[in-house]
Amino acid sequence: KAGVTQTPRYLIKTRGQQVTLSCSPISGHRSVSWYQQTPGQGLQFLFEYFSETQRNKGNFPGRFSGRQFSNSRSEMNVSTLELGDSALYLCASSLAVRDEQYFGPGTRLTVT
Amino acid sequence: SQQGEEDPQALSIQEGENATMNCSYKTSINNLQWYRQNSGRGLVHLILIRSNEREKHSGRLRVTLDTSKKSSSLLITASRAADTASYFCATAPGNTGKLIFGQGTTLQVKP
């Protein structure tokens, strides 16, 4: 089976712009979660989706949003980018909510 | 913060030695997972241990879980240079897929 894929892998944006990141889960996995990783804050939970429904949201401002499609693919959007949004954004998928989560390679976002 | 604590923050050993990393957490959990990360790349899933399990093995990995002490340990036996990476524990509280990560242990295995 193919693993979790994320596109794009690298992205450079300027402050004030918006960005959309995409995640394709492992085939058959219905749960998708997103995490942000920075050197200062470590790995922090952003969202959790299951069957197109957001089940949980982390402590991030409303500029961060996401969605899941009927084929379980997920996107996250960050609007009005700030320098502090520079990070590695990781997507993970699992068969069900409390199962092993398998991570994609991440999207490295740099905001200048 | 609900993040767990990992100990030690950094560990340097020689090839062939064993490496032990510890993780403590604050809330009751459904399961605890260990991950490896090489140089800021994606996380590789190592092992999941559920709250009703006390020990689990996978190859050279041995994980223990003590829910009364809210702690877990990861033992890597006969370490190799390729084991050099950061190791994270992540807890899943309640009926949720939200993972709460520790700050990680950076392991260096010298050839």
Side-chain angles (χ1 to χ4, degrees):
Chain A
K1 268 187 184 177
V4 178
T5 57
Q6 291 187 246
T7 56
R9 292 290 311 278
Y10 302 92
L11 207 47
I12 300 175
K13 292 284 189 178
T14 56
R15 277 178 296 175
Q17 288 187 312
Q18 75 163 17
V19 66
T20 299
L21 312 181
S22 182
C23 171
S24 292
I26 293 171
S27 177
H29 284 194
R30 296 168 64 191
S31 180
V32 173
S33 297
W34 288 88
Y35 298 84
Q36 181 197 64
Q37 186 177 29
T38 60
Q41 299 298 315
L43 281 151
Q44 293 189 290
F45 169 79
L46 279 159
F47 318 100
E48 176 198 358
Y49 290 91
F50 184 80
S51 293
E52 301 178 69
T53 301
Q54 186 179 91
R55 287 174 49 91
N56 276 293
K57 187 177 191 300
N59 189 24
F60 280 81
R63 300 184 296 106
F64 290 80
S65 62
R67 58 179 176 168
Q68 186 181 33
F69 302 96
S70 59
N71 61 358
S72 295
R73 192 177 67 85
S74 178
E75 287 181 348
M76 68 163 282
N77 184 278
V78 187
S79 62
T80 319
L81 284 165
E82 300 177 359
L83 294 178
D85 297 333
S86 294
L88 181 66
Y89 290 88
L90 293 161
C91 167
S93 76
S94 59
L95 267 173
V97 167
R98 291 182 289 180
D99 287 338
E100 293 89 342
Q101 291 191 24
Y102 295 94
F103 282 77
T107 294
R108 183 158 302 277
L109 172 65
T110 302
V111 182
T112 62
Chain B
S1 166
Q2 290 185 316
Q3 280 193 332
E5 303 269 337
E6 297 198 48
D7 171 59
Q9 288 190 340
L11 183 59
S12 182
I13 58 174
Q14 295 293 136
E15 237 179 356
E17 294 182 337
N18 296 341
T20 299
M21 290 159 257
N22 302 296
C23 166
S24 61
Y25 56 92
K26 298 178 182 178
T27 64
S28 61
I29 61 170
N30 178 274
N31 65 60
L32 185 146
Q33 304 184 45
W34 284 91
Y35 289 88
R36 184 185 75 231
Q37 185 178 41
N38 293 84
S39 302
R41 300 171 72 175
L43 296 166
V44 175
H45 186 271
L46 295 176
I47 201 161
L48 177 151
I49 186 165
R50 300 198 184 274
S51 59
N52 61 352
E53 296 175 310
R54 291 297 168 257
E55 188 171 312
K56 212 162 180 184
H57 297 255
S58 177
R60 294 184 295 113
L61 307 180
R62 172 179 168 256
V63 167
T64 61
L65 178 64
D66 187 334
T67 53
S68 66
K69 295 181 179 178
K70 291 186 168 60
S71 68
S72 174
S73 68
L74 169 68
L75 168 68
I76 304 174
T77 59
S79 62
R80 305 166 182 168
D83 294 328
T84 294
S86 292
Y87 292 81
F88 295 89
C89 71
T91 53
N95 185 27
T96 165
K98 170 183 176 179
L99 291 180
I100 301 172
F101 284 86
Q103 289 299 318
T105 294
T106 301
L107 172 67
Q108 181 186 31
V109 181
K110 299 174 186 176

